């Protein structure tokens, strides 16, 4: 009897231990809307669990074994799942007529009574409609492993956006859309400084910075239409390092630009025509691999004279460009 009682106690201890180690349950409400705040019905949302360590595989494995659901007439999907980590990813299935949502992750802050907390938070997903994509000149300039070096220092050099090239005599450009002037001081890789000034050729030309909403996971990061006003006629970009210090740069994560070039005004100052475009990400400069100053940026130029910034990825007006120069985002 004593032996049987010991076996029963051991069995109960195993069950109780299993209960105490059961993974907590998480619940999330996803609310899917379009840009105007109207609910999007029929969007498929799937949850995944992030596993931070897999023997022999390392960190960051994404286990796609979670539940899926479809948004109702109110744009709502409620999903529940169990997990030991409390960190979940979610993925959104592509929907016709909308730009792809890239998905994101959500981390719960704690747990209580077998539940991850906060319980049932609401995560908003905004679907951006595909309105009017148009052909554009779109390319990556000076992105590693390639570099775009200033032909000379301390002198303005024009860059033609339609040609994707420096102005003659340094390249094949015909219109100076962007005008770069660079200078540098170089001792060694631990002691240097460089500055690049970006100006323009016409009154009314310019650019303005824009930061994509941190809540937006859409592949369309920037506005669909360029603003009419608010353009600055110059931009200063810098990078430096002093002995014993870290590198300092004016580049900011998440910052992009919208610009206007080739502006023509009437005698009253009203804009008759102009070309608009956008720069994905910040403009960066470097000196490590250049004898002058290198510059890199990703740009789009709409040649149709409207303020439309939606790029049709199937109709890039640059033909035959290298893979490293191609643009894949809308």
């Amino acid at each position: 009897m004593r032996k049987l009682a010991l076996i029963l106690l051991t069995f109960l201890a195993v069950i109780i231990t299993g209960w105490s180690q059961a993974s907590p349950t998480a619940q999330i409400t996803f609310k899917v809307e379009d840009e105007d705040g109207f609910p999007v019905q029929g969007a498929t949302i799937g949850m995944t669990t992030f596993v931070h360590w897999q023997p022999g595989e390392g960190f960051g494995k994404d286990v796609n074994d979670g539940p899926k659901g479809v948004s109702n007439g109110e744009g709502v999907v409620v999903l529940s799942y169990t997990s030991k980590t409390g960190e979940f990813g979610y993925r959104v299935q592509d929907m016709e007529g909308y730009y792809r949502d890239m998905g994101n992750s959500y981390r719960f802050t704690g747990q209580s009574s077998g539940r991850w907390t906060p319980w049932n938070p609401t995560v908003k997903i905004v679907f951006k409609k595909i309105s009017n994509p148009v052909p554009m000149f779109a390319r990556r300039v000076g992105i590693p492993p390639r570099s775009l070096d200033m032909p000379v220092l301390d002198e303005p050099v024009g860059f033609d956006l339609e040609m994707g090239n420096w102005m003659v005599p340094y390249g094949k450009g015909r219109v100076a859309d962007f005008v770069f002037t660079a200078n540098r001081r170089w001792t060694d890789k631990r002691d240097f400084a460089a500055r690049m000034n970006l100006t323009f050729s016409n009154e009314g030309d310019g650019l303005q910075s824009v930061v994509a909403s941190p809540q937006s996971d859409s592949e369309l990061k920037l506005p669909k239409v360029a603003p009419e006003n608010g353009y600055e006629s110059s931009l200063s970009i810098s990078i430096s390092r002093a002995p014993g210090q870290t590198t300092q740069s004016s580049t900011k994560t998440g910052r992009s630009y919208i610009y206007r070039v080739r502006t023509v005004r009437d005698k009253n100052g009203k804009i008759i025509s102009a070309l608009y475009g956008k720069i994905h990400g910040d403009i960066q400069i470097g000196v490590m691999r250049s004898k002058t100053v290198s510059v890199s940026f990703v740009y789009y130029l709409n040649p149709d004279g409207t303020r439309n910034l939606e790029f049709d990825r199937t109709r890039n007006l640059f033909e035959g460009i290298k893979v490293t120069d191609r643009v894949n985002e809308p």
Side-chain angles (χ1 to χ4, degrees):
M1 288 295 292
R2 182 176 297 177
K3 185 175 182 180
L4 179 59
L6 182 61
I7 292 174
L8 288 173
L9 288 172
T10 302
F11 180 70
L12 287 173
V14 170
I15 293 177
I16 292 171
T17 301
W19 286 343
S20 65
Q21 293 179 349
S23 297
T25 300
Q27 183 167 296
I28 298 179
T29 293
F30 295 95
K31 188 169 179 58
V32 189
E33 300 177 347
D34 65 17
E35 297 158 283
D36 299 317
F38 292 105
V40 175
Q41 185 175 5
T44 300
I45 314 296
M47 289 178 65
T48 62
T49 299
F50 290 108
V51 177
H52 293 280
W53 173 258
Q54 290 290 310
E57 297 183 19
F59 288 97
K61 184 179 180 182
D62 187 2
V63 181
N64 188 14
D65 60 354
K68 294 181 179 181
V70 179
S71 60
N72 60 21
E74 296 179 344
V76 172
V77 182
V78 180
L79 298 178
S80 298
Y81 199 25
T82 58
S83 170
K84 293 181 179 180
T85 65
E87 184 176 4
F88 298 84
Y90 58 87
R91 293 176 175 174
V92 186
Q93 184 173 311
D94 296 352
M95 285 192 67
E96 185 175 357
Y98 294 91
Y99 287 104
R100 178 183 302 170
D101 187 283
M102 309 306 290
N104 210 319
S105 62
Y106 185 89
R107 180 187 290 274
F108 290 88
T109 57
Q111 55 179 286
S112 176
S113 302
R115 291 180 171 184
W116 286 107
T117 57
W119 177 252
N120 197 28
T122 297
V123 174
K124 182 185 290 187
I125 298 174
V126 178
F127 268 25
K128 295 184 178 180
K129 295 178 182 178
I130 299 175
S131 299
N132 182 31
V134 296
M136 292 190 188
F137 294 95
R139 71 184 304 160
R140 298 157 59 88
V141 173
I143 306 297
R146 303 181 68 189
S147 65
L148 180 69
D149 296 339
M150 285 291 296
V152 293
L153 291 172
D154 305 312
E155 296 180 18
V157 182
F159 186 86
D160 187 328
L161 295 172
E162 283 194 357
M163 299 292 292
N165 213 314
W166 296 117
M167 291 286 291
V168 174
Y170 304 110
K172 299 179 180 180
R174 297 189 293 264
V175 178
D177 296 306
F178 291 173
V179 180
F180 293 102
T181 306
N183 58 70
R184 66 176 261 169
R185 176 188 61 78
W186 175 265
T187 302
D188 54 40
K189 64 181 181 180
R190 297 179 181 84
D191 183 13
F192 61 85
R195 182 173 296 275
M196 177 90 75
N197 291 323
L198 169 59
T199 57
F200 299 87
S201 297
N202 308 292
E203 182 183 355
D205 288 2
L207 81 171
Q208 56 183 280
S209 63
V210 57
V211 178
S213 170
Q215 287 78 35
S216 175
D217 302 306
S218 172
E219 62 179 340
L220 182 67
K221 300 298 183 184
L222 302 182
K224 296 179 183 178
V225 179
E228 292 187 76
N229 303 303
Y231 295 89
E232 300 290 336
S233 60
S234 65
L235 175 70
S236 181
I237 311 154
S238 63
I239 187 170
S240 63
R241 184 172 183 177
Q245 304 294 320
T246 58
T247 300
Q248 303 297 312
S249 172
S250 64
T251 300
K252 290 186 178 180
T253 302
R255 182 168 61 186
S256 297
Y257 300 92
I258 295 173
Y259 63 84
R260 179 168 64 205
V261 294
R262 306 192 186 188
T263 304
V264 178
R265 296 177 179 267
D266 63 18
K267 61 182 180 180
N268 298 317
K270 182 179 179 180
I271 294 178
I272 300 174
S273 65
L275 298 186
Y276 294 83
K278 58 186 178 181
I279 297 173
H280 261 196
D282 213 342
I283 301 172
Q284 301 187 50
I285 63 172
V287 293
M288 290 292 190
R289 296 178 176 84
S290 173
K291 293 182 179 179
T292 56
V293 177
S294 64
V295 59
S296 61
F297 54 99
V298 181
Y299 76 90
Y300 304 68
L301 175 69
N302 180 4
D304 69 9
T306 70
R307 293 185 289 117
N308 186 0
L309 297 180
E310 282 188 87
F311 171 51
D312 184 343
R313 288 171 284 191
T314 66
R315 295 186 291 172
N316 193 334
L317 296 177
F318 282 119
E319 297 180 356
I321 60 176
K322 296 183 178 182
V323 174
T324 52
D325 295 341
R326 292 177 186 170
V327 174
N328 299 315
E329 295 81 12

